[in-house]
Amino acid sequence: MDLFARLFSSETMRINLDHYCAGLSVFGASARNNLPMKLLFQTVVVLVTTGLSAHSESAFVLNERTVDLGNDVSLRVIESGQPESGATLVFIPGWSTSADIWREQINRFARTYRVISFDPRSQGKSTITTDGNTPETRALDLHTLLDRFGARRPVLIGWSQGVEDIAAFINLYGTDDLSGIVLVDAAIAPGAEGMAALGAQQAASQFATFAVYQAHQQKYLADMMHAIVSKPQSNDAIEGLVATGLQTPPDIGIAMRIADTFGVSRMPALKKINCRTLSIASAKSPVLAQQQAQAKQISHAHFEKIEDAAHAVFLDQPDRFEELLKSFVGSLATNNAYQNAATPAPRAEIDETVIPTCEQYRVAAKIVKVRHRQNRVRTLWNKLLYGWVAKGTRN
């Protein structure tokens, strides 16, 4: 009923009804009374169809599919937005979450850009597997998805564990094929070598949480979701996040956390980034200083912190997050246009000088290419001095 209410209150419907009534007035009252019901029905159908078309044009389609990556692993992928926009935003979720945690951003940015998000392996509705639950394997998965979806020079946006996945992606593939990177409220982990800096007490307390998670997964996830989102959310929203987290078995979830934080060091990725980067952090983040320090190690990086937000900054402050991301993506388009205009055309290859024989001179074409010169040389002296390459033979 809401849809029909919108249709019959729309400007398109009002104009069409005005035209319809005006047409009836031509025939007079008796003609209106005798108008066949079939014609009236057909007219209403046309008007409703027109309203539906106008409504559908303003909406965007949300496509959800399952993508087979091979080795018995499939990922659930969401795609929406404007493929012709030229910009593809790829939203990468964090630990034990799914593409649905980005739903607000997908809805907002699909109006302007092409948007892709997915459930990483062993999370959400993707395949639960004991194999490859590391940032490095998830980076391989991401690379395969980008290729399958024809995402040319995308912007990668990773949150929490997604930051580690982006770091692993950079270490494997570099950034030449990326337009930009957005790192959301997480510092890249230094691996096992960082445990000394972390301190024995802090490391021990972190491992203690693993035991709580394994023994009381649902309560652990509920407490975690309330901690990473500080703004009031509906019970359905929190329950949905918890239900998604429960899809990952605790043993696999712990293996992920250990691989993320205490696996290989992904710090070399900081020096490999040669595309523009935006780092967004919560002002309350316990690793705020590390995020700021790492942003300084990245060339062409910009750091922003969001006040009054917990770890899931895009849920607590969606308007501010949208503002920062929209400005960043817009600057990428401007910067790319400037670089394309400023880049000179590649120099034409010039053939090596040759010393002509008498027969070659006799049949040589009049237009020649000269080494280190772009102009045409027609004089015999310049031909003999620089040499030429025949472009054809005289008839």
Side-chain angles (χ1 to χ4, degrees):
M1 292 301 294
D2 290 341
L3 173 60
F4 279 90
R6 289 198 299 272
L7 290 175
F8 279 94
S9 63
S10 68
E11 184 69 9
T12 301
M13 179 60 71
R14 185 189 65 78
I15 292 173
N16 286 332
L17 285 174
D18 288 347
H19 281 280
Y20 175 68
C21 294
L24 289 183
S25 65
V26 174
F27 297 100
S30 61
R32 289 197 300 272
N33 293 334
N34 296 325
L35 188 72
M37 288 301 296
K38 181 178 180 181
L39 176 59
L40 179 61
F41 174 77
Q42 289 174 340
T43 304
V44 171
V45 169
V46 169
L47 294 178
V48 171
T49 304
T50 303
L52 284 171
S53 299
H55 176 75
S56 63
E57 287 175 2
S58 62
F60 54 87
V61 178
L62 192 67
N63 296 314
E64 181 175 326
R65 69 183 79 173
T66 300
V67 178
D68 183 9
L69 301 183
N71 297 321
D72 298 323
V73 174
S74 298
L75 302 187
R76 173 215 182 203
V77 182
I78 292 177
E79 181 187 21
S80 186
Q82 311 297 329
E84 69 279 0
S85 68
T88 300
L89 310 186
V90 181
F91 290 92
I92 306 169
W95 178 76
S96 81
T97 62
S98 70
D100 295 315
I101 201 167
W102 291 111
R103 187 57 67 96
E104 178 70 19
Q105 286 64 48
I106 293 172
N107 291 339
R108 292 184 181 215
F109 285 94
R111 302 167 189 167
T112 310
Y113 304 105
R114 182 190 186 195
V115 178
I116 297 173
S117 190
F118 59 96
D119 300 358
R121 62 170 58 206
S122 297
Q123 295 181 209
K125 297 179 182 178
S126 291
T127 300
I128 306 300
T129 175
T130 57
D131 182 45
N133 293 299
T134 67
E136 284 65 38
T137 304
R138 291 193 295 269
L140 294 172
D141 295 344
L142 173 58
H143 188 266
T144 301
L145 283 182
L146 295 178
D147 182 64
R148 294 277 185 89
F149 282 79
R152 304 287 180 252
R153 297 189 58 76
V155 179
L156 300 185
I157 304 156
W159 166 66
S160 195
Q161 177 182 269
V163 171
E164 293 295 334
D165 295 349
I166 288 179
F169 184 94
I170 294 167
N171 283 327
L172 287 171
Y173 304 106
T175 61
D176 289 345
D177 293 331
L178 303 178
S179 289
I181 294 171
V182 182
L183 308 175
V184 184
D185 205 46
I188 297 174
E193 60 194 49
M195 293 186 69
L198 187 64
Q201 185 174 359
Q202 191 172 352
S205 64
Q206 190 163 353
F207 274 89
T209 64
F210 297 158
V212 177
Y213 167 62
Q214 188 159 30
H216 310 284
Q217 185 187 18
Q218 185 164 359
K219 185 179 186 309
Y220 178 93
L221 291 171
D223 291 344
M224 183 188 81
M225 296 309 172
H226 281 99
I228 68 174
V229 184
S230 62
K231 298 298 181 183
Q233 302 285 329
S234 68
N235 289 333
D236 289 344
I238 297 298
E239 289 175 3
L241 291 172
V242 173
T244 298
L246 290 172
Q247 300 302 310
T248 302
D251 290 350
I252 294 177
I254 292 172
M256 287 180 180
R257 293 282 297 276
I258 293 175
D260 293 347
T261 307
F262 304 111
V264 300
S265 174
R266 300 174 192 95
M267 296 289 284
L270 295 170
K271 297 299 183 182
K272 295 181 179 180
I273 299 175
N274 60 9
C275 64
R276 299 188 66 181
T277 303
L278 174 63
S279 178
I280 301 177
S282 163
K284 302 176 183 178
S285 173
V287 291
L288 180 62
Q290 290 97 310
Q291 292 184 70
Q292 288 176 311
Q294 289 185 4
K296 291 179 181 178
Q297 298 181 53
I298 303 172
S299 59
H300 312 297
H302 179 68
F303 179 84
E304 288 279 356
K305 64 180 179 180
I306 296 182
E307 302 289 343
D308 195 21
H311 184 42
V313 293
F314 49 91
L315 293 181
D316 280 343
Q317 298 290 349
D319 292 339
R320 177 58 176 155
F321 186 84
E322 179 185 9
E323 177 188 2
L324 291 173
L325 186 53
K326 187 177 291 184
S327 176
F328 175 71
V329 176
S331 70
L332 295 179
T334 303
N335 185 64
N336 289 338
Y338 172 78
Q339 287 183 338
N340 291 337
T343 302
R347 297 186 62 165
E349 295 184 3
I350 306 300
D351 295 295
E352 294 294 330
T353 301
V354 297
I355 301 176
T357 65
C358 292
E359 179 62 18
Q360 286 174 329
Y361 175 76
R362 187 182 68 81
V363 299
K366 291 183 179 180
I367 298 187
V368 298
K369 260 201 313 188
V370 181
R371 188 181 186 185
H372 304 311
R373 290 173 179 250
Q374 299 291 338
N375 59 315
R376 296 176 177 177
V377 178
R378 297 179 181 276
T379 65
L380 174 61
W381 167 251
N382 282 337
K383 288 181 180 180
L384 293 176
L385 182 62
Y386 296 109
W388 73 91
V389 176
K391 295 299 179 183
T393 58
R394 294 173 179 170
N395 294 328

